[in-house]
Amino acid sequence: MVSAHATPPSLLDLSTYLLSRVGKTARGRLARRLSERGLRLWDMAVLAALADFGPHAQRDLVARLGVDPSDMAKVVEQLAAGGHVERDRDPRDRRRVLVTLTPAGRTLLAELDAEARAVQDEVLAPLDAEERRVLQELLLRVHDGQGTPYAP
């Protein structure tokens, strides 16, 4: 007898379906962990962008991460209120707001990265180290072929 919750085999044959399901599971687990800290995936994405690429004009963060400008304003405001980023007027163009990662933001990002890696370990538990390496390579190739902005 087939379980009432069994996935239709025709869907299990679609890599896009499997990617979506695994991604949804991983995203949900990470989102729950972040929410325990009063944070969202966008918060982590902004911190990561600032750590990896340096200070950004707020509108450039919008473009880099594919976030709605009003949502970005809320994210940056929350991170600034927590002391994780600083906002300053660009001395070359006073209309631009520069967002910079603070030492506290860098510490928070390291903690969030550890949370994300723990979720990754849970989700990828059925795979050995070599299989994880191959999966990472393949996913990077697929990601690079998309040509679309990041969207947590």
Side-chain angles (χ1 to χ4, degrees):
M1 178 175 199
V2 177
S3 165
H5 301 289
T7 303
S10 58
L11 293 178
L12 293 175
D13 195 38
L14 294 170
S15 296
T16 51
Y17 176 81
L18 294 173
L19 283 168
S20 174
R21 292 298 303 209
V22 171
K24 184 176 179 180
T25 297
R27 182 183 180 124
R29 288 180 186 183
L30 182 55
R32 277 190 295 283
R33 287 182 182 226
L34 295 180
S35 72
E36 291 170 4
R37 297 169 168 262
L39 299 169
R40 295 162 299 170
L41 292 166
W42 285 126
D43 299 309
M44 185 175 178
V46 168
L47 294 173
L50 295 173
D52 291 346
F53 301 112
H56 271 61
Q58 189 167 310
R59 68 176 173 226
D60 294 340
L61 281 171
V62 165
R64 178 177 294 282
L65 297 175
V67 183
D68 181 86
S70 64
D71 291 338
M72 179 60 72
K74 292 173 193 169
V75 169
V76 169
E77 184 159 329
Q78 178 181 340
L79 290 171
H84 305 296
V85 301
E86 291 178 348
R87 293 176 296 182
D88 296 298
R89 292 283 172 196
D90 185 337
R92 293 172 290 160
D93 182 349
R94 303 289 299 158
R95 296 169 294 178
R96 292 171 27 122
V97 175
L98 287 179
V99 183
T100 306
L101 189 64
T102 65
R106 197 168 295 282
T107 299
L108 176 61
L109 179 59
E111 294 168 5
L112 299 180
D113 182 69
E115 293 281 352
R117 291 184 186 281
V119 167
Q120 179 173 281
D121 286 343
E122 291 170 13
V123 172
L124 300 180
L127 304 178
D128 66 28
E130 178 60 15
E131 289 168 326
R132 289 180 186 202
R133 186 193 65 72
V134 170
L135 177 62
Q136 180 69 17
E137 278 183 17
L138 294 172
L139 289 172
L140 277 172
R141 282 177 44 200
V142 171
H143 175 271
D144 291 347
Q146 300 306 299
T148 57
Y150 171 73

